[in-house]
């Protein structure tokens, strides 16, 4: 089936256990963040959006609270111009602390808002919003939730991410387990099976870092440095990092130039070169120890981006877009972005 997107702005998707789909985005009327659920035929089952007394609520990530059945979805983002304002999600409310803008919210599978959190947890941890989220059952009836930290405009002490334990049956339901370093803001995060967090973060001009943070205390287990000749080789916010059932890590660098160097945790150095003109897209696989496994380049002779990566079983899906020349009629042509999806297996072999 094909339906019109029920939100405005970027749409964030998460599969529901009943065959439906959670769609995160902005309310076409108020412009505030929320979630719409579609059934397996694409029909809208319910929609719930946040409201705020001043400013706007943006969305930058969405993930399902897995289970049989699932327990709905969590989403994160930032509040614009909302110092001291009250954010409401159904009957749940929270006041935005001055100088902070991060929030995390939970919507139940039946469309009932469960929680919205904008707590300032530490004055030294200068979050100004969250850029991505990943949730995973912790084996004890609750969930680990990892959130990526965005860049702060007036502070250098910016955590890469933080990990929560979330249990809606206790008070308070959301507890910080640890913060992940302070080396730079993060583009995306992914939880591994033991509760450790992989995070892709900015480190320098034309350079990004992939780090794994320890499940017990959030200390760094290892780091991979990815350097490009012309672009910051970062994934798209909330869409470029995935983990498979063996804790293999897939990293989709949205745009790279003609030469990318990967210094992994072995340590070894791998150089990926392109013959097509920049920018290009790049998919890299690492094992759970941070060692480089393989990479696949995406170049079309025109501007190409690796927009998103997703994993289901042994299949790896890479979403791309290319700036291609399209003929509209006998007299008109123009460049436009054309999407494409590539399907690979866990060894990087393409499915024809």
């Amino acid at each position: 089936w094909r339906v019109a997107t029920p939100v405005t702005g970027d749409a964030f998707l998460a599969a529901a256990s009943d065959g439906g789909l959670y769609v995160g985005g902005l309310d076409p009327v108020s412009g505030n963040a929320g979630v719409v659920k579609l059934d397996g035929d694409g029909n809208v089952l319910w929609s719930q959006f946040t409201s705020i007394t001043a400013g706007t609520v943006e969305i930058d990530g969405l993930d399902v609270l897995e289970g049989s059945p699932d327990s709905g979805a969590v989403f994160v983002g930032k509040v614009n111009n909302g110092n001291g304002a009250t954010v409401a999600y159904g009957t749940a409310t929270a006041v935005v602390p001055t100088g902070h803008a991060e929030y995390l919210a939970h919507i139940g599978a039946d469309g009932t808002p469960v929680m919205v959190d904008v707590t300032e947890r530490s004055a030294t941890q200068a979050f100004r919003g969250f850029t991505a989220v990943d949730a995973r059952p912790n084996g004890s009836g609750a969930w680990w939730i990892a959130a990526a930290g965005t860049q702060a405009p007036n502070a250098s002490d910016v955590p890469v991410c933080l990990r929560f334990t979330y249990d809606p049956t206790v008070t308070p339901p959301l507890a910080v387990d640890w913060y992940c370093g302070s080396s730079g803001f993060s583009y995306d995060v992914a939880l591994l099976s033991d509760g450790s967090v992989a995070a892709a973060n900015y480190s320098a001009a034309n350079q990004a870092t992939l780090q794994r943070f320890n499940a017990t205390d959030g200390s760094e287990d290892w780091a991979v440095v990815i350097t490009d000749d012309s672009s910051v080789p970062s994934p798209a916010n909330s869409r470029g990092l995935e983990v498979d059932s063996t804790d293999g890590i897939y990293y989709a660098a949205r745009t790279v130039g003609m030469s990318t160097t990967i210094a992994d945790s072995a340590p070894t150095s791998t150089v990926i070169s392109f013959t097509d003109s920049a920018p290009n897209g790049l998919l890299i696989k690492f094992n759970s120890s941070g060692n480089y496994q393989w990479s696949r380049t995406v170049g079309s002779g025109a501007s190409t981006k690796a927009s998103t990566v997703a994993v289901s079983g042994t299949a790896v899906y890479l979403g791309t877009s290319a700036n291609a020349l399209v003929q509209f009629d006998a007299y008109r042509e123009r460049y436009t972005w054309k999407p494409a999806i590539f399907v690979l297996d866990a060894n990087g072999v393409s499915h024809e």
Side-chain angles (χ1 to χ4, degrees), residues 209-276:
T209 303
L210 174 66
Q211 296 170 280
R212 176 172 173 168
F213 295 98
N214 188 272
T216 302
D217 59 9
S219 60
E220 183 186 278
D221 287 336
W222 50 255
V224 174
V225 178
I226 306 169
T227 307
D228 189 63
D229 62 349
S230 64
S231 302
V232 178
S234 62
N237 282 2
S238 196
R239 295 185 174 96
L241 207 58
E242 275 285 343
V243 173
D244 65 20
S245 60
T246 67
D247 283 342
I249 302 169
Y250 300 85
Y251 182 109
R254 193 179 189 201
T255 56
V256 296
M258 303 296 290
S259 179
T260 304
T261 302
I262 303 165
D264 71 10
S265 61
T268 58
S269 184
T270 303
V271 178
I272 310 299
S273 298
F274 285 82
T275 57
D276 294 306

Side-chain angles (χ1 to χ4, degrees), residues 2-347:
R2 179 179 179 180
V3 297
T5 306
V7 295
T8 60
D10 288 344
F12 298 86
L13 309 179
S17 61
D18 60 4
L21 183 69
Y22 297 106
V23 182
L26 303 179
D27 183 355
V29 178
S30 70
N32 289 316
V35 178
V36 179
K37 186 176 183 182
L38 307 180
D39 66 16
D41 295 318
N43 301 306
V44 173
L45 294 176
W46 49 256
S47 61
Q48 289 284 357
F49 294 95
T50 56
S51 64
I52 188 169
T53 54
T56 56
V57 183
E58 297 185 357
I59 184 170
D60 286 297
L62 171 81
D63 199 20
V64 66
L65 292 178
E66 297 175 1
S68 298
D70 67 64
S71 294
V74 290
F75 60 99
V76 299
K78 64 181 179 180
V79 177
N80 275 330
N81 301 316
N83 283 342
T86 298
V87 178
Y89 198 34
T91 59
T93 61
V95 176
V96 180
T98 299
H100 284 253
E102 64 275 14
Y103 79 88
L104 188 152
H106 172 205
I107 180 76
D110 63 354
T112 302
V114 179
M115 178 271 297
V116 60
D117 180 276
V118 292
T119 303
E120 177 184 359
R121 291 180 168 81
S122 171
T124 62
Q125 306 298 344
F127 288 112
R128 294 299 183 272
F130 294 141
T131 56
V133 66
D134 191 38
R136 187 165 188 154
N138 69 356
S140 300
W143 291 268
W144 292 308
I145 297 178
T150 192
Q151 186 175 19
N154 58 353
S156 59
D157 186 14
V158 183
V160 172
C161 59
L162 74 167
R163 196 193 75 181
F164 299 98
T165 292
Y166 178 56
D167 185 347
T169 67
V170 303
T171 302
L174 194 65
V176 173
D177 298 323
W178 34 258
Y179 292 91
C180 321
S182 60
S183 58
F185 64 92
S186 186
Y187 300 98
D188 202 1
V189 289
L191 281 156
L192 282 74
S193 59
D194 66 347
S196 58
V197 175
N201 62 288
Y202 174 88
S203 54
N206 298 354
Q207 190 175 88
T209 303
L210 174 66
Q211 296 170 280
R212 176 172 173 168
F213 295 98
N214 188 272
T216 302
D217 59 9
S219 60
E220 183 186 278
D221 287 336
W222 50 255
V224 174
V225 178
I226 306 169
T227 307
D228 189 63
D229 62 349
S230 64
S231 302
V232 178
S234 62
N237 282 2
S238 196
R239 295 185 174 96
L241 207 58
E242 275 285 343
V243 173
D244 65 20
S245 60
T246 67
D247 283 342
I249 302 169
Y250 300 85
Y251 182 109
R254 193 179 189 201
T255 56
V256 296
M258 303 296 290
S259 179
T260 304
T261 302
I262 303 165
D264 71 10
S265 61
T268 58
S269 184
T270 303
V271 178
I272 310 299
S273 298
F274 285 82
T275 57
D276 294 306
S277 59
N280 302 282
L282 180 63
L283 176 65
I284 313 165
K285 182 180 180 182
F286 301 93
N287 66 14
S288 60
S289 299
N291 298 325
Y292 171 83
Q293 302 296 290
W294 51 257
S295 62
R296 295 295 178 265
T297 60
V298 183
S300 63
S303 297
T304 307
K305 297 178 181 179
S307 304
T308 186
V309 64
V311 175
S312 179
T314 59
V316 181
Y317 301 88
L318 178 65
T320 68
S321 57
N323 197 15
L325 188 64
V326 175
Q327 188 80 32
F328 282 85
D329 55 32
Y331 307 100
R332 294 179 300 168
E333 62 184 17
R334 72 179 184 187
Y335 280 95
T336 187
W337 290 102
K338 296 185 67 176
I341 298 175
F342 297 88
V343 185
L344 313 169
D345 66 17
N347 296 313

